[in-house]
């Protein structure tokens, strides 16, 4: 009898399978976004060794540890400056920053705006789950107003960032937003962002089943459903309309895709000028 | 355009000499942030690096400066940053990242008086313990203390060599006075400058373990894109580089990080002795304070006191064995440093009950005069 052919996972060559099972909770969206990211790498057709992935700290920050690429798990908030060093020292590399909202926009917010301003040629993927998941559900710079968290037991008195607006104002040259259920759009967007020369930013909305959803007495599937029913795809939307209000409808799509010389190109120009 | 190595005699300050040392050592990436009195290092690097095919970037703060150089180091580049007290404090968390990921890098601290903003334009040597213990956890690093612009050049090269050899952050613990003083600096021909580069891995890529050490306790280091698919993390990791949250892995990793320095102290530690042979009173000093101490020792000798000087060129790892050996045959140690007692405590620790110990120090802002040292030597005798 012929031996049944073993089926191979289509991303097997890009995953450190020896590290599976991963740490992400059942119902978490990070894995879906991570697969979309790896599928996008595959889709670009670029040799894997030309890619590197850098993460900060947190649940999403564990992404780099599962990618079969040269991958870096750095200090909290510092994935972008670490990636900046890589890109400026070797512009041949495609540098992907895969991290979460707490890491990129609270502790690491300063680095984000400066990398965008410089048009540093990085692909920054931010999984926004509205909370600090790994530390047990504390308020983030993305937690909705009045939401419950471990450190806002009486509701969040603060207001969250509109991340695409921040990215665009800072100078990002590619800005998009999807949710973790939009896996095909995500994959295509990631692939396009990786091919884009300049600072690309993709926000991906994703549920934290344990530390956000449960605490705020919403059902996981209800939130995920809202990703479908309370979202509107509107490319080139006015960035001021991109605040995360599910009642009004959350706008998804590609908001910016422009050409501007990148930091590494401009520095190379200086080298060339000096050399005469 | 100037050549890579500026062979010849120059009249330059210590900060500029440090930058020239870095370029001569093969540094091609500098991530910086302006701060007095270290800014001239960054300015010189900004001027020079594009001409030698390197990259200068001024980051948004010192945290970004140090993390940028760590990223750059993994592309195969030799990297450096330079700062002073407040920036040094900001860099400390990622110094720990450099230690556990074994990323070669050189961090220059042109010390000024602190704490906090302190005396920005005035010198001190009060970050010496921070250099040793500033990041959290147990670790070993290397720190060197140049006493002249010439040594800013020479020791910066040495710092790169040690950093590459042992895959460890190396600190140049300078100070405002040495950083800003201009003196003759002789830069040799490029072929006469000894430089060391990290060992790169060879062999099968699928079997490579990034943290499996060679005989000297250090592992070969690939660059991004070499095809080894390495994972590098600040979490406690095994030889494969993968996180393992266990007491045993923690013990193995920390033991190896300490051992690769502690087992090689003969190769790492450099000191200079002056009139030590028959000395009864030994002045222990480093950096700018060692310069004034030479005069004090000469003066003490004229007074008939058998004084000598032990100048620490490498401050960390501390030369325990040298102090211990001297303590058995001398009356006492006088430690001279611009702080309220840092390295003096290390001298006390090593001297134990075998010799008396005292400190000539102050809170910073100026150098220590020979008279202050002589008076203390006389008291101690």
């Amino acid at each position: 009898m012929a031996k049944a052919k073993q089926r191979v996972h289509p991303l097997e060559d890009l995953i450190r399978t020896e590290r599976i099972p991963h740490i992400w909770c059942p119902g978490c969206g990070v894995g879906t976004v991570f697969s979309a990211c790896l599928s996008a790498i595959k889709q670009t057709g670029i040799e894997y060794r030309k890619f590197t992935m850098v993460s900060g700290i947190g649940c999403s920050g564990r992404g780099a540890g599962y990618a079969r690429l040269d991958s870096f798990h750095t200090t909290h908030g510092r994935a972008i400056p670490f990636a900046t060093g890589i890109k400026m020292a070797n512009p041949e590399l495609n540098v992907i920053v895969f991290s979460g909202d707490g890491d990129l926009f609270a502790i690491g917010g300063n680095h984000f705006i400066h990398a965008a301003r410089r048009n540093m040629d990085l692909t920054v993927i931010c999984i926004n789950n509205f909370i600090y998941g790994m530390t047990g559900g504390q308020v983030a710079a993305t937690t909705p107003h009045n939401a419950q968290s471990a450190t806002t037991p009486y509701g969040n008195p603060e207001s969250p960032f509109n991340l695409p607006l921040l990215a665009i104002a800072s100078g990002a040259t590619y800005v998009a937003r999807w949710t973790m259920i939009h896996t095909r759009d995500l994959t295509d967007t990631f692939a396009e962002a990786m091919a884009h020369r300049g600072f690309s930013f993709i926000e991906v909305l994703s549920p934290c089943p344990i530390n956000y959803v449960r605490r705020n007495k919403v059902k996981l599937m209800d939130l995920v459903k809202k990703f479908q029913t309370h979202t509107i795809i509107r490319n080139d939307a006015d960035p001021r309309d991109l605040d995360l209000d599910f009642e009004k409808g959350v706008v998804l799509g590609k908001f910016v895709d422009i050409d501007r010389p990148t930091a590494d190109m401009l520095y190379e120009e200086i080298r060339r000028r000096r050399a005469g | 355009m100037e050549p890579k190595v500026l062979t010849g005699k120059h009249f330059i300050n210590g900060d500029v000499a440090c930058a020239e040392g870095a370029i001569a050592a093969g540094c091609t990436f500098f991530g910086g942030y302006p701060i007095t009195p270290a800014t001239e290092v960054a300015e010189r690097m900004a001027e020079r690096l594009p001409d030698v095919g390197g990259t200068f970037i001024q980051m948004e703060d010192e945290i970004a400066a140090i993390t940028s150089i760590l990223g750059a180091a993994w592309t195969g580049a030799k990297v450096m940053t330079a700062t002073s007290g407040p920036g040094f404090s900001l860099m400390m968390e990622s110094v720990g990242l450099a230690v556990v990921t074994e990323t070669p890098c050189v961090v220059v601290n042109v010390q000024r008086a602190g704490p906090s903003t302190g005396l920005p334009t005035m010198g001190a040597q009060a970050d010496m313990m921070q250099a040793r213990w500033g990041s959290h956890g147990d670790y070993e690093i290397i720190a060197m203390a140049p006493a002249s612009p010439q040594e800013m050049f020479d020791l910066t090269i040495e710092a790169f060599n040690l950093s590459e050899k042992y895959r460890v952050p190396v600190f140049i613990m300078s100070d405002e006075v040495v950083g800003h003083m201009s003196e003759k600096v002789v830069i040799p021909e490029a072929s006469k400058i000894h430089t060391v580069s990290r060992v790169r891995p060879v062999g099968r890529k699928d079997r490579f373990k990034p943290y499996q050490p060679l005989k000297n306790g250090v592992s070969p280091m690939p660059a991004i894109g070499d095809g080894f698919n390495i994972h590098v993390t600040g979490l406690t990791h095994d030889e494969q580089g993968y996180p393992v949250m266990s007491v045993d892995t923690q013990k193995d990793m920390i033991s190896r990080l300490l051992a690769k320095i502690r087992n090689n102290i003969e190769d790492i530690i450099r000191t200079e002795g002056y009139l030590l042979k028959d000395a009864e009173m030994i002045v222990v000093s480093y950096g700018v304070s060692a310069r004034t101490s030479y005069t004090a020792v000469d003066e003490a000798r004229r007074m008939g006191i058998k004084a000598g000087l032990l100048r620490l060129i490498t401050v960390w790892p501390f030369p325990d064995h040298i102090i211990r050996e001297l303590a058995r045959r001398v009356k006492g140690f006088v430690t001279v440093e611009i702080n309220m007692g840092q390295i003096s405590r290390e001298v006390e620790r090593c001297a134990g009950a075998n010799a008396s110990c005292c400190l000539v120090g102050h809170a910073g802002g100026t150098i220590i005069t020979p008279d202050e040292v002589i008076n203390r030597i006389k008291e101690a005798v």
Side-chain angles (χ1 to χ4, degrees):
Chain A
M1 203 170 82
K3 206 174 163 190
K5 201 177 170 192
Q6 191 166 357
R7 292 178 64 196
V8 176
H9 189 280
L11 293 174
E12 178 143 315
D13 54 347
L14 270 169
I15 294 175
R16 294 182 190 271
T17 45
E18 68 275 26
R19 293 209 60 219
I20 302 298
H22 54 67
I23 61 143
W24 298 313
C25 305
C28 173
V30 175
T32 312
V33 185
F34 184 65
S35 317
C37 176
L38 299 185
S39 301
I41 290 173
K42 203 159 213 173
Q43 197 170 305
T44 62
I46 300 167
E47 205 187 347
Y48 293 162
R49 70 162 73 188
K50 293 283 178 199
F51 284 93
T52 182
M53 189 183 282
V54 185
S55 289
I57 297 295
C59 296
S60 310
R62 292 300 184 94
Y66 299 117
R68 191 174 295 289
L69 300 169
D70 290 321
S71 59
F72 298 87
H73 181 221
T74 63
T75 28
H76 194 16
R78 317 305 167 200
I80 286 180
F82 195 97
T84 294
I86 293 175
K87 184 68 199 183
M88 290 303 285
N90 184 356
E92 298 288 299
L93 296 167
N94 291 282
V95 187
I96 299 165
V97 173
F98 190 93
S99 216
D101 50 298
D103 187 73
L104 288 167
F105 288 100
I107 188 166
N110 195 33
H111 308 309
F112 180 89
I113 60 174
H114 286 279
R117 173 181 62 80
R118 295 180 179 115
N119 199 25
M120 192 59 62
D121 187 15
L122 309 175
T123 303
V124 178
I125 296 169
C126 172
I127 298 182
N128 180 2
N129 61 1
F130 321 111
I131 204 84
Y132 281 85
M134 188 167 274
T135 46
Q138 296 76 24
V139 72
T142 45
T143 305
H145 179 56
N146 283 333
Q148 294 286 314
S149 79
T151 47
T152 55
Y154 314 115
N156 179 17
E158 301 179 8
S159 298
F161 268 132
N162 170 342
L163 296 180
L165 176 64
L166 177 67
I168 294 163
S170 305
T173 49
Y174 186 103
V175 179
R177 173 198 275 157
W178 293 103
T179 83
M180 48 74 73
I181 68 162
H182 296 86
T183 51
R184 275 166 198 268
D185 303 285
L186 258 187
T187 304
D188 292 344
T189 298
F190 288 160
E192 194 174 79
M194 288 167 194
H196 174 80
R197 292 232 44 189
F199 189 87
S200 316
F201 170 63
I202 305 101
E203 178 186 16
V204 190
L205 306 181
S206 177
C208 174
I210 308 299
N211 283 312
Y212 183 77
V213 167
R214 193 189 284 171
R215 197 185 301 270
N216 281 283
K217 302 195 168 48
V218 275
K219 289 201 173 106
L220 172 63
M221 288 319 289
D222 288 349
L223 177 61
V224 174
K225 191 116 205 274
K226 272 190 180 172
F227 288 169
Q228 185 186 16
T229 57
H230 290 62
T231 53
I232 311 149
I233 299 171
R234 197 192 304 148
N235 293 329
D236 303 315
D238 185 333
R240 287 169 300 183
D241 297 334
L242 298 176
D243 51 314
L244 287 175
D245 184 343
F246 281 102
E247 297 319 303
K248 194 177 77 178
V250 168
V251 180
L252 309 176
K254 182 167 78 174
F255 312 123
V256 169
D257 184 358
I258 53 170
D259 272 335
R260 183 157 74 84
T262 64
D264 62 286
M265 285 161 68
L266 292 168
Y267 199 82
E268 179 56 27
E269 182 56 38
I270 290 174
R271 282 194 207 103
R272 267 207 304 270
R273 223 166 46 224
R274 290 284 304 163
Chain B
M1 287 212 315
E2 285 167 323
K4 191 175 154 210
V5 176
L6 294 187
T7 304
K9 287 176 190 162
H10 304 269
F11 186 69
I12 51 178
N13 74 30
D15 284 353
V16 171
C18 172
E20 289 304 331
I23 305 266
C27 174
T28 54
F29 190 94
F30 185 100
Y33 188 81
I35 188 167
T36 306
T39 307
E40 295 87 345
V41 182
E43 288 175 354
R44 185 68 173 175
M45 293 303 275
E47 191 184 337
R48 292 274 278 136
L49 275 171
D51 292 356
V52 297
T55 306
F56 170 90
I57 186 164
Q58 182 171 315
M59 295 300 285
E60 51 274 12
D61 58 29
E62 287 91 344
I63 300 172
I66 190 163
T67 35
S68 74
I69 69 168
L70 301 186
W74 282 95
T75 69
K78 292 186 182 180
V79 301
M80 183 167 91
T81 187
T83 189
S84 190
F88 201 53
S89 295
L90 284 176
M91 289 180 182
M92 280 301 141
E93 187 193 10
S94 288
V95 166
L97 180 68
V99 168
V100 299
T101 57
E102 301 179 62
T103 308
C105 60
V106 175
V107 179
V108 181
N109 180 352
V110 186
Q111 296 171 86
R112 64 195 225 186
S116 191
T117 313
L119 301 173
T121 61
M122 299 157 87
Q125 295 175 303
D127 305 346
M128 301 308 295
M129 280 295 171
Q130 188 183 19
R132 177 65 187 85
W133 299 110
S135 201
H136 53 283
D138 284 309
Y139 61 94
E140 289 279 352
I141 46 78
I142 298 171
M144 312 188 89
S148 63
Q150 181 68 55
E151 276 198 344
M152 286 290 267
F153 178 84
D154 296 338
L155 294 187
T156 300
I157 296 172
E158 184 73 22
F160 272 98
N161 292 349
L162 289 168
S163 177
E164 292 286 316
K165 186 169 181 184
Y166 293 105
R167 290 186 59 184
V168 70
V170 180
F171 298 118
I172 292 289
M173 297 302 289
S174 182
D175 61 80
E176 186 276 333
V177 183
V178 171
H180 280 167
M181 75 163 69
S182 289
E183 277 185 339
K184 185 171 88 171
V185 173
V186 180
I187 299 181
E189 286 169 35
S191 61
K192 302 263 165 62
I193 295 173
H194 173 65
T195 61
V196 175
S197 294
R198 67 198 69 167
V199 175
R200 299 278 278 263
V202 287
R204 282 186 61 167
K205 291 188 161 68
D206 55 337
R207 296 229 181 116
F208 176 66
K209 290 187 172 177
Y211 293 102
Q212 189 173 51
L214 301 175
K215 273 198 192 113
N216 68 347
V218 188
S219 329
M221 179 174 170
I224 300 169
D226 281 354
F228 288 94
N229 290 328
I230 46 162
H231 182 56
V232 176
T233 177
L235 285 166
T236 294
H237 46 264
D238 59 16
E239 288 190 340
Q240 191 61 55
Y242 290 168
V244 180
M245 302 297 99
S246 83
V247 174
D248 285 344
T249 311
Q250 170 75 0
K251 189 184 86 183
D252 291 349
M253 186 187 79
I254 297 298
S255 305
R256 192 172 64 73
L257 292 178
L258 302 188
K260 75 175 178 180
I261 302 301
R262 290 181 183 173
N263 294 344
N264 291 298
I265 52 168
E266 307 252 312
D267 180 48
I268 295 167
I269 291 177
R270 286 179 58 188
T271 60
E272 190 175 85
Y274 179 61
L275 305 176
L276 284 185
K277 218 168 208 176
D278 62 339
E280 292 174 349
M281 287 306 300
I282 291 184
V283 175
V284 179
S285 194
Y286 53 91
V288 68
S289 297
R291 292 174 69 118
T292 47
S293 296
Y294 280 105
T295 314
V297 167
D298 286 341
E299 189 58 29
R301 284 270 170 178
R302 269 195 287 278
M303 292 172 178
I305 301 167
K306 286 183 176 168
L309 174 71
L310 177 71
R311 180 164 79 92
L312 309 180
I313 297 168
T314 311
V315 176
W316 305 116
F318 194 72
D320 290 23
H321 57 295
I322 297 175
I323 301 285
R324 287 212 173 99
E325 195 193 303
L326 287 169
R328 282 189 220 112
R329 64 172 174 88
V330 303
K331 283 186 186 158
F333 295 98
V334 176
T335 305
V336 183
E337 52 182 345
I338 310 174
N339 60 52
M340 302 300 276
Q342 294 194 13
I343 296 303
S344 61
R345 297 179 188 202
E346 290 295 295
V347 176
E348 273 182 53
R349 177 177 63 78
C350 298
N354 291 331
S356 72
C357 291
C358 65
L359 164 74
V360 180
H362 64 69
T366 184
I367 57 167
I368 294 166
T369 62
D371 281 349
E372 293 170 78
V373 183
I374 293 160
N375 291 340
R376 190 57 59 85
I377 293 173
K378 281 197 285 190
E379 281 168 33
V381 169

